[in-house]
Amino acid sequence: MERRTFLRGAVVGTSAAAFGGTLMRGAAYAAPAQPGAGPYGALGAADANGIMLPAGFTSRVIARSGQTVPGTSYTWHNAPDGGACYADGAGWIYVSNSEVNPSGGAGAVRFDSSGSITSAYRILSGTRQNCAGGKTPWNTWLSCEEVSLGYVYEADPWGVNAAVQRPAMGRFKHEAAAADPVRRAVYLTEDESDGCFYRFLPATWGNLSSGTLQVLKAGSGTSGSFTWQNVPDPDGSPTATRNQVSGAKRFNGGEGCHYANDTVWFTTKGDNRVWQLNLSSNTYELAYDDSLVVGGGAPLTGVDNVTGSSFGDLYVAEDGGSMEICVITPDDVVAPFLRITGQSSSEICGPAFSPAGSRLYFSSQRGTTGSSSGGITYEVTGPFRT
């Protein structure tokens, strides 16, 4: 993914240039009276699925928890969460976690070249509260358990090979993973109020059975330089991984994680921030912080899962908030891309683009019922920037 340097000045619903400065350098700005609508224009009225979208975009439901996926015999899992897409010949596969405990795991939906569903099936079973995860360059799915001493599992999106537990990647309250083929590392977030940010260096790239788990060390500020230090005991017992290295930087509830172009972005729900690690310079900074917007009106609240488009836009899903997926552009614009109506007791999970970048998949984890059995998984099609 080619992208310009961005997120150094994310301003609510408009460009940083409109204010003659940047938001993330410590200044506070009032929210504009009429926030810009972002690169796709204003959201329209809710469609038949209750989703507000810009002009030219449409939505459809592809699966509902407890019901068979259309055209298949597979019953879609409860509480759909993190997800990713994989090329499958002329078609593709969308993988989705199940954040229930016990019996979490993950399932998959397979599409042909026209977008029609051809099959659906289980790829991981017998695990606990599988929240987010990440796609590997060798086309496997890393499914992360969000429980104390949780594991990372490596699953096959095609459902041919059995999923494998990867204890070398550490045992802690896992959230998301993002692979970096340049440094041959997998970055990992931790969903604790005093959590850390990790990277796993496999002994052999493409094989996660052994390697070194490291934790990020940095000062207490919101920007500066960072280093990595080995975690002595990745199994996290009797001392939790986050408490084994003096000077490990704390993050308030690590959530989504995305890598592209020598940069990794991750979200922290406890303080509603998007962080940016500049890997070529070993520096970090805030990419987005709604607390620096005074007067209300911040377009992005309840940050959670995150993904990127081929154009270079970052898409951040909300856990609660206004039930929106917001886009952060390379031009430092932050704006809603879509909003789900009538589901205020839910959260948006698993945003992922089809290989061609023309379809966006995501789930409302609890749907209209507010229960894990009410999950709904959607597809949005339209003129995405590619």
Side-chain angles (χ1 to χ4, degrees), residues 135-312:
K135 179 180 178 179
T136 69
W138 48 93
N139 287 323
T140 58
W141 170 243
L142 301 181
S143 184
C144 298
E145 289 185 316
E146 189 194 350
V147 295
S148 178
L149 297 179
Y151 288 101
V152 174
Y153 288 83
E154 187 172 15
D156 175 13
W158 285 262
V160 175
N161 299 309
V164 179
Q165 188 181 88
R166 297 301 190 193
M169 300 184 76
R171 297 193 64 187
F172 52 88
K173 201 172 183 182
H174 284 278
E175 183 69 33
D180 172 1
V182 176
R183 277 147 290 272
R184 298 190 169 188
V186 179
Y187 304 101
L188 301 161
T189 57
E190 182 177 26
D191 193 355
E192 300 274 10
S193 60
D194 61 345
C196 292
F197 188 81
Y198 304 87
R199 74 173 182 180
F200 178 69
L201 302 175
T204 301
W205 186 238
N207 184 342
L208 302 176
S209 62
S210 63
T212 303
L213 182 69
Q214 298 181 322
V215 66
L216 185 141
K217 292 183 61 175
S220 59
T222 56
S223 64
S225 60
F226 67 84
T227 59
W228 300 99
Q229 184 168 326
N230 293 353
V231 175
D233 187 12
D235 72 5
S237 179
T239 303
T241 55
R242 66 185 184 279
N243 295 328
Q244 293 182 23
V245 174
S246 176
K249 186 166 179 61
R250 304 295 176 166
F251 295 97
N252 192 350
E255 290 286 337
C257 191
H258 176 70
Y259 168 85
N261 195 32
D262 293 328
T263 308
V264 61
W265 295 269
F266 63 97
T267 61
T268 50
K269 65 184 179 184
D271 46 20
N272 205 56
R273 288 169 167 173
V274 182
W275 297 82
Q276 175 176 328
L277 299 186
N278 307 305
L279 299 169
S280 58
S281 62
N282 285 336
T283 60
Y284 71 97
E285 60 191 294
L286 280 179
Y288 175 83
D289 184 354
D290 74 343
S291 71
L292 295 181
V293 181
V294 298
L300 175 57
T301 57
V303 298
D304 202 301
N305 289 178
V306 59
T307 193
S309 73
S310 59
F311 183 84

Side-chain angles (χ1 to χ4, degrees), residues 25-43:
R25 298 300 183 188
Y29 295 99
Q34 293 182 325
Y40 297 108
L43 302 184

